[in-house]
Amino acid sequence: MLGVLRIGDFRLLLTSQFLSNTGDWLLMVAAPFFVFELTGSTMATGLTLTAESVPAILLGPIAGVFADRWDRRRIMIATDLLRAATVLSMLAVHSRGGVWIVYAALTLEAGFGQFFNPARGALIPSIIGRGPELSAANALSQLVGGVIRLVGGPLGGALYVFFGFHIVVALDVASYLLSAALTLPIRHRAEPRAARPPSSPLRAFRTDLRAGLSHLRHSPDLRVLFVIAALFFTGNAMLTALLVPYLGGVLHAGAQSLGILFGALGAGFVLGGPLSRLVADRLSDRITIVASLLALAAVFAASFNTPHLAWDLALFTLIGPPAVCFLVTADTAVARRTPDEIQGRVGSVYLALQGAATLTGMLGGSILGEHLGVVTTMNLAAALIAASAPVILLGHRPSAGGRVRRMFSPVVTDFWRESFADGNVVSREGAFSIAVNADLREDRQLMVLTTPDRVRAVLSPALAEVLGRSSDAAPMSEAGFREALREAGLTLHDADNLFYYAQDDLQELLRQEPNTSVRQLTEADAALFDVFTASASEQDLDDAYVELDHWAVFGAFADDRLVSAASMYPWGGAKVADLGVMTLPDYRGRGHARAVVRASYKYAAEQGYQPQYRCQLDNHASVALAKAAGLTHFGTWEPISTEDPS
């Protein structure tokens, strides 16, 4: 996880996050208590928190368009300075009559934040890439967030009690100024966008906005993820709105206690950062999301039905790990499923959704808390978070065998069905079957295909005779079959992962705007290609099998040189295009491989071919690249070793 800190631009981005968010947390603790102290109203306190949500709804999608148009670094610097000026105005508040200034300042601060947040969010995958480093960067960001909660919560409460609200405001202003100073040296610059046809500014704006919304409309997994996030953030906001009344009315505690609880929450987030990275390497997004939300709902319910500060302190620590696992998984999934050129727009819609859900939760929590009671309303919020977990079932589900055929193109499913000769099955034991096919190629006289719902083996008649497989033979289990292969001296190659595009994802790929840093290579690029291959190791060249004379070749360029290349060729006698890809070591982790793979596969699809991606099971970087490129795991394939006699 710490390896991403080698990237200087990310270090600056992370440090600026630490400083500005620390100031935000100081104010987040102090502002509600300041308003509660001036007004004595639960509703007024809730409005303090909801003031930050309204701009997300009104400005979010609009701001995202500009985050994709303008230099993201400059947007971040400008909005930091504007937020500093806005927060500074709260120094003028000294009585109940000035509470409206607090509301206005928080609303404006959040409004400028709607331009800052999508710009920052879109900048991270541009700097880091979309491979394993992206989940590591998101996990590290959550770890920093945990440290901020650990420090900012107790510190905000202490500063408010001992020095007053205005000191907290001054520190928040200083944090924004320091954040702007740290963002200034970031060296990353966006790739130049493709030239636009002449049009009015308003028309161009509408076109850009529609492009982002169209991506969401045609991405089922993103839609499901957004629904889950809406339910989660609504429930979470209901709980947040009632924290101060819970502390004051149920626990009879003050501002310092809120700071201590936020500190415990921060400690849990610190623990959750490394845990989320570990989980991302071992579990699917689906399992992580369901387990995290259910665990989180259980901890919330336990916390607010145990009205004792010491118990709540321990339980608040347990909130962090599942919350971080969910947030890291969700943020990474959104980034990986979104092309760089519309990251700002999709990210801003995601933030607007969070804002709308937060506003709904804050208002709903405040109103229900007044009428139903604080603890009852908190239990309803925990139930809402638990209810969000099953929504994941509405998304793609590769593990359901009946849906695999519908998810992937018939070209893919028919190719493998015909290869494994479903009509000539000579043995079936549970989910394992053996078929005999007389038309197998010479180098594929024996193969095993493992998909989520079944394992199929196919072999030539000659090898079936060697293994004693005929229609009247006793059924054989998979373990028995593999043991029979060993006894017969037959060896299978190490398994290859097979990845294809789900049909919806392939349609999304075809709608993708061209990446200006990627283009098709031809014989005229032989000199560039020779320099590229000369810069690679022999092992990389052997593993990638990228050749300029293949059916179609694409390359990604940076620093005026070819840094990544992919080549394709028809595979298996079907309308399937297999691909090899290689990126020079110094340019890995920056998204070049993903860009060149998606451009190559778009071309293949336009020619009527189904893109195929193969890699060894232990090649974790290639697996991550396949997922980052939007491919879905189909299964594993083991052909016979060509060194064995057939």
Side-chain angles (χ1 to χ4, degrees), residues 10-356:
F10 182 70
R11 287 199 306 272
L12 291 169
L13 205 59
L14 198 65
T15 307
S16 70
Q17 172 197 345
F18 175 77
L19 290 171
S20 66
N21 286 9
T22 298
D24 289 347
W25 266 86
L26 298 179
L27 193 63
M28 186 183 300
V29 173
F33 270 101
F34 183 59
V35 171
F36 191 67
E37 187 177 279
L38 292 176
T39 65
S41 167
T42 299
M43 180 67 74
T45 303
L47 289 175
T48 303
L49 299 170
T50 60
E52 299 194 26
S53 304
V54 175
I57 303 170
L58 300 178
L59 297 177
I62 297 172
V65 172
F66 294 103
D68 287 330
R69 277 191 185 183
W70 296 343
D71 183 277
R72 291 162 180 166
R73 170 181 149 275
R74 291 180 179 177
I75 291 175
M76 293 168 61
I77 294 170
T79 51
D80 267 339
L81 296 176
L82 289 169
R83 288 190 291 181
T86 299
V87 171
L88 191 64
S89 68
M90 285 191 276
L91 291 177
V93 181
H94 298 280
S95 65
R96 182 186 182 119
V99 167
W100 69 270
I101 298 176
V102 176
Y103 294 150
L106 291 175
T107 301
L108 286 172
E109 178 196 22
F112 293 129
Q114 297 315 303
F115 290 85
F116 178 92
N117 293 327
R120 180 186 180 277
L123 194 58
I124 291 175
S126 296
I127 292 173
I128 298 296
R130 290 173 172 80
E133 293 83 3
L134 180 58
S135 60
N138 286 335
L140 196 55
S141 293
Q142 291 295 339
L143 176 62
V144 168
V147 173
I148 292 168
R149 287 172 175 85
L150 188 62
V151 175
L155 185 59
L159 288 171
Y160 177 74
V161 169
F162 292 109
F163 299 101
F165 180 65
H166 296 100
I167 290 296
V168 177
V169 169
L171 289 173
D172 194 23
V173 170
S175 72
Y176 279 132
L177 296 176
L178 287 171
S179 174
L182 284 167
T183 306
L184 186 63
I186 290 177
R187 294 174 297 175
H188 176 82
R189 299 293 184 272
E191 296 289 342
R193 303 294 180 193
R196 298 173 176 272
S199 63
S200 69
L202 181 59
R203 185 173 185 178
F205 175 84
R206 287 200 304 263
T207 300
D208 285 348
L209 184 59
R210 281 198 299 267
L213 296 176
S214 176
H215 176 75
L216 289 174
R217 190 167 57 252
H218 294 96
S219 302
D221 287 345
L222 279 182
R223 293 201 306 270
V224 169
L225 189 60
F226 276 35
V227 171
I228 293 171
L231 295 173
F232 166 78
F233 285 107
T234 300
N236 186 68
M238 291 172 67
L239 295 167
T240 303
L242 294 173
L243 267 181
V244 171
Y246 174 75
L247 279 169
V250 179
L251 297 184
H252 307 292
Q256 283 182 299
S257 297
L258 179 62
I260 292 170
L261 284 182
F262 276 143
L265 185 66
F269 269 68
V270 171
L271 296 174
L275 176 64
S276 67
R277 181 73 179 109
L278 192 67
V279 167
D281 289 339
R282 288 166 173 78
L283 299 179
S284 68
D285 290 353
R286 178 188 298 274
I287 293 174
T288 301
I289 288 172
V290 170
S292 299
L293 292 173
L294 292 178
L296 195 57
V299 176
F300 275 139
S303 298
F304 302 118
N305 287 280
T306 311
H308 192 284
L309 185 60
W311 279 108
D312 282 343
L313 185 64
L315 289 168
F316 263 56
T317 305
L318 297 180
I319 290 173
V324 171
C325 287
F326 170 73
L327 293 170
V328 168
T329 302
D331 290 349
T332 304
V334 170
R336 283 178 172 165
R337 288 166 170 78
T338 305
D340 181 71
E341 57 269 17
I342 58 172
Q343 278 280 347
R345 277 161 281 180
V346 173
S348 68
V349 172
Y350 187 50
L351 292 172
L353 176 75
Q354 293 180 25

